[in-house]
Amino acid sequence: MSDFKKDFLDRYLQLGLGSMPKSDVDALVMHLLDIYGFDNSGPLEIRSNQAVSEILKTPVAKVKKMRYEAALKYGGRVEDQAKGRFLSVLSNASLEADGEKVLFIIEDALTKNWLQGQLKIHQHIFDHSFNAEIVKVSFTGLITVLESFFDKEQIDIFKADFEIAKKKKNAEERVRFFEKISKKFAEGAASAAGNAVKTVFKSQCGLE
């Protein structure tokens, strides 16, 4: 029996045949598809909502909803999920040309809701007025969130590297340098955060 079938039946029969609501079944199937893939696709979790929509012939909005429910119900400890997923997003973050705000492209509802919730707690403003999947955050706001959860040594290095980025001669150099240091920080922070966060980070990034 494949791992997909075994994992599905283990969960589905946990409380007895027919006891799992249809919405939970859908979320479980989405969870397992993200892990194992479909029809030799490989794991779907590294693919965009649009790509998964095309593979599964399902509306994008429904894919997004099911992925959110799957993460909450079957992804393990929610905080570990959120931190690992956020670091994977940070590893691909960019910088506005003026060097003032960090830009994230976040399709994943759990990650976006978690980040926005943390920014609100610390009274920092985020902006997604132009595109619901693009979130803009000041570097100060980003650091405030990071300092609540991740390794101080890694953060201090990231802050020092950011000061170097700001001194680059032109916008293109600043953006390129920031993309390099954000990826470096995310990888280091994930390793220092423990196995659960590191596992989520690597799976979201498509790493072994």
Side-chain angles (χ1 to χ4, degrees):
M1 183 181 295
S2 71
D3 290 335
F4 186 107
K5 291 179 181 178
K6 182 180 184 305
D7 286 356
F8 176 81
L9 290 174
D10 284 348
R11 295 272 194 172
Y12 182 73
L13 297 174
Q14 196 168 29
L15 297 177
L17 183 65
S19 62
M20 182 179 283
K22 181 182 182 301
S23 60
D24 285 2
V25 174
D26 289 344
L28 176 57
V29 171
M30 187 72 254
H31 171 67
L32 296 175
L33 286 171
D34 270 341
I35 294 173
Y36 297 112
F38 171 73
D39 196 22
N40 297 318
S41 67
L44 296 184
E45 62 188 340
I46 62 173
R47 295 176 181 263
S48 69
N49 290 335
Q50 178 60 41
V52 172
S53 169
E54 294 170 6
I55 292 171
L56 301 181
K57 296 179 174 59
T58 303
V60 174
K62 188 171 184 180
V63 170
K64 187 173 183 178
K65 178 176 182 291
M66 287 194 299
R67 280 181 149 175
Y68 181 52
E69 293 179 357
L72 291 176
K73 294 175 181 177
Y74 305 110
R77 188 165 174 259
V78 173
E79 184 171 300
D80 291 335
Q81 282 282 314
K83 289 191 288 188
R85 288 165 180 251
F86 173 63
L87 288 175
S88 74
V89 169
L90 178 56
S91 71
N92 292 300
S94 189
L95 192 68
E96 280 198 324
D98 61 9
E100 294 299 322
K101 288 187 178 179
V102 181
L103 277 64
F104 301 97
I105 298 176
I106 310 178
E107 281 197 335
D108 174 44
L110 187 148
T111 307
K112 182 180 175 183
N113 292 345
W114 180 83
L115 174 59
Q116 292 178 347
Q118 293 302 319
L119 290 166
K120 285 180 181 178
I121 288 171
H122 297 289
Q123 298 184 330
H124 282 280
I125 295 172
F126 57 87
D127 179 14
H128 59 85
S129 55
F130 297 103
N131 185 318
E133 292 183 352
I134 298 177
V135 179
K136 298 181 182 181
V137 183
S138 69
F139 187 75
T140 302
L142 171 60
I143 290 298
T144 300
V145 173
L146 295 177
E147 287 177 338
S148 299
F149 298 100
F150 300 107
D151 180 70
K152 183 180 183 303
E153 183 178 348
Q154 299 286 337
I155 294 170
D156 287 344
I157 295 171
F158 188 34
K159 288 161 66 175
D161 285 343
F162 181 72
E163 292 302 316
I164 296 172
K166 286 169 59 176
K167 295 175 182 176
K168 294 295 181 181
K169 293 180 180 179
N170 57 59
E172 184 179 348
E173 288 183 8
R174 286 194 295 272
V175 170
R176 189 165 58 246
F177 190 78
F178 180 81
E179 289 173 350
K180 178 181 177 181
I181 65 172
S182 60
K183 184 178 183 64
K184 175 185 171 184
F185 169 77
E187 291 173 349
S191 295
N195 286 335
V197 174
K198 182 179 179 180
T199 298
V200 173
F201 171 78
K202 292 178 72 174
S203 66
Q204 290 290 309
C205 293
L207 304 172
E208 293 295 332

